[in-house]
Amino acid sequence: MQTKLAQNFLQPAAGGVLLDVSCGSGLFSRRFAKSDLFSTVVASDYSENMLRQCYQFIKQDKDLDKAYVPCLLLVFFAFYFDEDKGAITLY
């Protein structure tokens, strides 16, 4: 149910690249990749351990084309929230 709601919300980005930030174990990354809604799904997390787990789940998934789910370790030094713009800047 949650995956379907997210897919409907992300429909305007269909055919593009989806960046799953803080993917954790990669459950949604894998589901989005299997949906064929996006050309590529990038699984990313700031936790190296979670990203390793995500990568293991991707490798074990026989129904998933691994080429469409690269894993990316995010390293942030600082966050800045601009209240005027309602945006977060990552350093």
PDB file of all heavy atoms in Angstrom, residues 33-51:
ATOM      1  N   ALA A  33      12.603  -0.037  -8.083  1.00  0.00           N
ATOM      2  CA  ALA A  33      13.358  -0.579  -9.217  1.00  0.00           C
ATOM      3  C   ALA A  33      12.551  -1.657  -9.943  1.00  0.00           C
ATOM      4  O   ALA A  33      12.553  -1.721 -11.173  1.00  0.00           O
ATOM      5  CB  ALA A  33      14.690  -1.146  -8.741  1.00  0.00           C
ATOM      6  N   LYS A  34      11.852  -2.478  -9.198  1.00  0.00           N
ATOM      7  CA  LYS A  34      11.039  -3.537  -9.809  1.00  0.00           C
ATOM      8  C   LYS A  34       9.814  -2.981 -10.532  1.00  0.00           C
ATOM      9  O   LYS A  34       9.268  -3.636 -11.412  1.00  0.00           O
ATOM     10  CB  LYS A  34      10.586  -4.534  -8.742  1.00  0.00           C
ATOM     11  CG  LYS A  34      11.682  -5.414  -8.229  1.00  0.00           C
ATOM     12  CD  LYS A  34      11.130  -6.347  -7.172  1.00  0.00           C
ATOM     13  CE  LYS A  34      12.209  -7.141  -6.507  1.00  0.00           C
ATOM     14  NZ  LYS A  34      11.681  -8.016  -5.452  1.00  0.00           N
ATOM     15  N   SER A  35       9.382  -1.789 -10.148  1.00  0.00           N
ATOM     16  CA  SER A  35       8.171  -1.222 -10.750  1.00  0.00           C
ATOM     17  C   SER A  35       8.385  -0.778 -12.192  1.00  0.00           C
ATOM     18  O   SER A  35       7.416  -0.558 -12.914  1.00  0.00           O
ATOM     19  CB  SER A  35       7.700  -0.011  -9.933  1.00  0.00           C
ATOM     20  OG  SER A  35       8.525   1.120 -10.178  1.00  0.00           O
ATOM     21  N   ASP A  36       9.635  -0.625 -12.620  1.00  0.00           N
ATOM     22  CA  ASP A  36       9.971  -0.132 -13.962  1.00  0.00           C
ATOM     23  C   ASP A  36       9.423   1.270 -14.213  1.00  0.00           C
ATOM     24  O   ASP A  36       9.303   1.695 -15.354  1.00  0.00           O
ATOM     25  CB  ASP A  36       9.486  -1.090 -15.057  1.00  0.00           C
ATOM     26  CG  ASP A  36      10.253  -2.396 -15.051  1.00  0.00           C
ATOM     27  OD1 ASP A  36      11.450  -2.378 -14.711  1.00  0.00           O
ATOM     28  OD2 ASP A  36       9.656  -3.423 -15.390  1.00  0.00           O
ATOM     29  N   LEU A  37       9.086   1.991 -13.167  1.00  0.00           N
ATOM     30  CA  LEU A  37       8.582   3.352 -13.302  1.00  0.00           C
ATOM     31  C   LEU A  37       9.723   4.338 -13.572  1.00  0.00           C
ATOM     32  O   LEU A  37       9.525   5.358 -14.212  1.00  0.00           O
ATOM     33  CB  LEU A  37       7.835   3.756 -12.028  1.00  0.00           C
ATOM     34  CG  LEU A  37       7.090   5.080 -12.032  1.00  0.00           C
ATOM     35  CD1 LEU A  37       5.998   5.085 -13.106  1.00  0.00           C
ATOM     36  CD2 LEU A  37       6.462   5.345 -10.668  1.00  0.00           C
ATOM     37  N   PHE A  38      10.932   3.996 -13.105  1.00  0.00           N
ATOM     38  CA  PHE A  38      12.090   4.880 -13.234  1.00  0.00           C
ATOM     39  C   PHE A  38      13.185   4.216 -14.049  1.00  0.00           C
ATOM     40  O   PHE A  38      13.326   3.000 -14.035  1.00  0.00           O
ATOM     41  CB  PHE A  38      12.631   5.250 -11.849  1.00  0.00           C
ATOM     42  CG  PHE A  38      11.569   5.812 -10.949  1.00  0.00           C
ATOM     43  CD1 PHE A  38      10.945   5.024  -9.998  1.00  0.00           C
ATOM     44  CD2 PHE A  38      11.173   7.127 -11.070  1.00  0.00           C
ATOM     45  CE1 PHE A  38       9.956   5.526  -9.188  1.00  0.00           C
ATOM     46  CE2 PHE A  38      10.176   7.649 -10.268  1.00  0.00           C
ATOM     47  CZ  PHE A  38       9.566   6.844  -9.322  1.00  0.00           C
ATOM     48  N   SER A  39      13.988   5.034 -14.739  1.00  0.00           N
ATOM     49  CA  SER A  39      15.077   4.471 -15.531  1.00  0.00           C
ATOM     50  C   SER A  39      16.171   3.907 -14.640  1.00  0.00           C
ATOM     51  O   SER A  39      16.792   2.903 -14.958  1.00  0.00           O
ATOM     52  CB  SER A  39      15.666   5.530 -16.472  1.00  0.00           C
ATOM     53  OG  SER A  39      16.229   6.600 -15.722  1.00  0.00           O
ATOM     54  N   THR A  40      16.404   4.545 -13.498  1.00  0.00           N
ATOM     55  CA  THR A  40      17.400   4.101 -12.518  1.00  0.00           C
ATOM     56  C   THR A  40      16.920   4.503 -11.134  1.00  0.00           C
ATOM     57  O   THR A  40      16.322   5.557 -10.963  1.00  0.00           O
ATOM     58  CB  THR A  40      18.770   4.769 -12.777  1.00  0.00           C
ATOM     59  OG1 THR A  40      19.194   4.457 -14.098  1.00  0.00           O
ATOM     60  CG2 THR A  40      19.826   4.296 -11.796  1.00  0.00           C
ATOM     61  N   VAL A  41      17.207   3.664 -10.155  1.00  0.00           N
ATOM     62  CA  VAL A  41      16.933   3.983  -8.761  1.00  0.00           C
ATOM     63  C   VAL A  41      18.272   3.936  -8.037  1.00  0.00           C
ATOM     64  O   VAL A  41      18.970   2.926  -8.078  1.00  0.00           O
ATOM     65  CB  VAL A  41      15.950   2.976  -8.124  1.00  0.00           C
ATOM     66  CG1 VAL A  41      15.777   3.254  -6.637  1.00  0.00           C
ATOM     67  CG2 VAL A  41      14.614   3.006  -8.838  1.00  0.00           C
ATOM     68  N   VAL A  42      18.645   5.038  -7.379  1.00  0.00           N
ATOM     69  CA  VAL A  42      19.904   5.097  -6.633  1.00  0.00           C
ATOM     70  C   VAL A  42      19.568   4.988  -5.152  1.00  0.00           C
ATOM     71  O   VAL A  42      18.841   5.821  -4.611  1.00  0.00           O
ATOM     72  CB  VAL A  42      20.668   6.410  -6.906  1.00  0.00           C
ATOM     73  CG1 VAL A  42      21.958   6.455  -6.088  1.00  0.00           C
ATOM     74  CG2 VAL A  42      20.963   6.552  -8.390  1.00  0.00           C
ATOM     75  N   ALA A  43      20.082   3.955  -4.513  1.00  0.00           N
ATOM     76  CA  ALA A  43      19.893   3.765  -3.078  1.00  0.00           C
ATOM     77  C   ALA A  43      21.028   4.486  -2.356  1.00  0.00           C
ATOM     78  O   ALA A  43      22.196   4.239  -2.645  1.00  0.00           O
ATOM     79  CB  ALA A  43      19.905   2.278  -2.746  1.00  0.00           C
ATOM     80  N   SER A  44      20.693   5.373  -1.429  1.00  0.00           N
ATOM     81  CA  SER A  44      21.730   6.126  -0.717  1.00  0.00           C
ATOM     82  C   SER A  44      21.401   6.203   0.766  1.00  0.00           C
ATOM     83  O   SER A  44      20.241   6.206   1.158  1.00  0.00           O
ATOM     84  CB  SER A  44      21.852   7.532  -1.305  1.00  0.00           C
ATOM     85  OG  SER A  44      20.641   8.227  -1.145  1.00  0.00           O
ATOM     86  N   ASP A  45      22.447   6.237   1.565  1.00  0.00           N
ATOM     87  CA  ASP A  45      22.268   6.341   3.008  1.00  0.00           C
ATOM     88  C   ASP A  45      23.530   6.933   3.610  1.00  0.00           C
ATOM     89  O   ASP A  45      24.611   6.817   3.026  1.00  0.00           O
ATOM     90  CB  ASP A  45      21.986   4.967   3.619  1.00  0.00           C
ATOM     91  CG  ASP A  45      21.228   5.077   4.929  1.00  0.00           C
ATOM     92  OD1 ASP A  45      21.824   5.508   5.933  1.00  0.00           O
ATOM     93  OD2 ASP A  45      20.027   4.751   4.938  1.00  0.00           O
ATOM     94  N   TYR A  46      23.402   7.564   4.757  1.00  0.00           N
ATOM     95  CA  TYR A  46      24.561   8.117   5.447  1.00  0.00           C
ATOM     96  C   TYR A  46      25.223   7.071   6.340  1.00  0.00           C
ATOM     97  O   TYR A  46      26.345   7.245   6.798  1.00  0.00           O
ATOM     98  CB  TYR A  46      24.177   9.346   6.274  1.00  0.00           C
ATOM     99  CG  TYR A  46      23.153   9.038   7.347  1.00  0.00           C
ATOM    100  CD1 TYR A  46      23.556   8.672   8.622  1.00  0.00           C
ATOM    101  CD2 TYR A  46      21.800   9.103   7.076  1.00  0.00           C
ATOM    102  CE1 TYR A  46      22.627   8.361   9.596  1.00  0.00           C
ATOM    103  CE2 TYR A  46      20.870   8.806   8.044  1.00  0.00           C
ATOM    104  CZ  TYR A  46      21.290   8.449   9.304  1.00  0.00           C
ATOM    105  OH  TYR A  46      20.362   8.144  10.262  1.00  0.00           O
ATOM    106  N   SER A  47      24.529   5.960   6.596  1.00  0.00           N
ATOM    107  CA  SER A  47      25.061   4.884   7.420  1.00  0.00           C
ATOM    108  C   SER A  47      25.689   3.810   6.540  1.00  0.00           C
ATOM    109  O   SER A  47      25.010   3.178   5.724  1.00  0.00           O
ATOM    110  CB  SER A  47      23.942   4.261   8.260  1.00  0.00           C
ATOM    111  OG  SER A  47      24.373   3.045   8.843  1.00  0.00           O
ATOM    112  N   GLU A  48      26.966   3.604   6.715  1.00  0.00           N
ATOM    113  CA  GLU A  48      27.661   2.585   5.931  1.00  0.00           C
ATOM    114  C   GLU A  48      27.087   1.198   6.192  1.00  0.00           C
ATOM    115  O   GLU A  48      26.933   0.391   5.278  1.00  0.00           O
ATOM    116  CB  GLU A  48      29.155   2.609   6.240  1.00  0.00           C
ATOM    117  CG  GLU A  48      29.959   1.679   5.370  1.00  0.00           C
ATOM    118  CD  GLU A  48      31.454   1.789   5.605  1.00  0.00           C
ATOM    119  OE1 GLU A  48      31.896   2.698   6.324  1.00  0.00           O
ATOM    120  OE2 GLU A  48      32.182   0.941   5.051  1.00  0.00           O
ATOM    121  N   ASN A  49      26.728   0.914   7.449  1.00  0.00           N
ATOM    122  CA  ASN A  49      26.173  -0.397   7.787  1.00  0.00           C
ATOM    123  C   ASN A  49      24.826  -0.638   7.100  1.00  0.00           C
ATOM    124  O   ASN A  49      24.563  -1.738   6.599  1.00  0.00           O
ATOM    125  CB  ASN A  49      26.028  -0.549   9.299  1.00  0.00           C
ATOM    126  CG  ASN A  49      27.361  -0.702   9.985  1.00  0.00           C
ATOM    127  OD1 ASN A  49      28.321  -1.178   9.393  1.00  0.00           O
ATOM    128  ND2 ASN A  49      27.444  -0.282  11.231  1.00  0.00           N
ATOM    129  N   MET A  50      23.972   0.381   7.075  1.00  0.00           N
ATOM    130  CA  MET A  50      22.681   0.220   6.407  1.00  0.00           C
ATOM    131  C   MET A  50      22.873   0.032   4.911  1.00  0.00           C
ATOM    132  O   MET A  50      22.188  -0.769   4.271  1.00  0.00           O
ATOM    133  CB  MET A  50      21.769   1.418   6.674  1.00  0.00           C
ATOM    134  CG  MET A  50      21.261   1.505   8.100  1.00  0.00           C
ATOM    135  SD  MET A  50      20.480   0.000   8.737  1.00  0.00           S
ATOM    136  CE  MET A  50      19.087  -0.187   7.660  1.00  0.00           C
ATOM    137  N   LEU A  51      23.816   0.750   4.345  1.00  0.00           N
ATOM    138  CA  LEU A  51      24.065   0.632   2.916  1.00  0.00           C
ATOM    139  C   LEU A  51      24.618  -0.751   2.565  1.00  0.00           C
ATOM    140  O   LEU A  51      24.276  -1.319   1.536  1.00  0.00           O
ATOM    141  CB  LEU A  51      25.022   1.727   2.457  1.00  0.00           C
ATOM    142  CG  LEU A  51      24.933   2.100   0.987  1.00  0.00           C
ATOM    143  CD1 LEU A  51      23.530   2.498   0.593  1.00  0.00           C
ATOM    144  CD2 LEU A  51      25.898   3.200   0.660  1.00  0.00           C
TER     145      LEU A  51
END
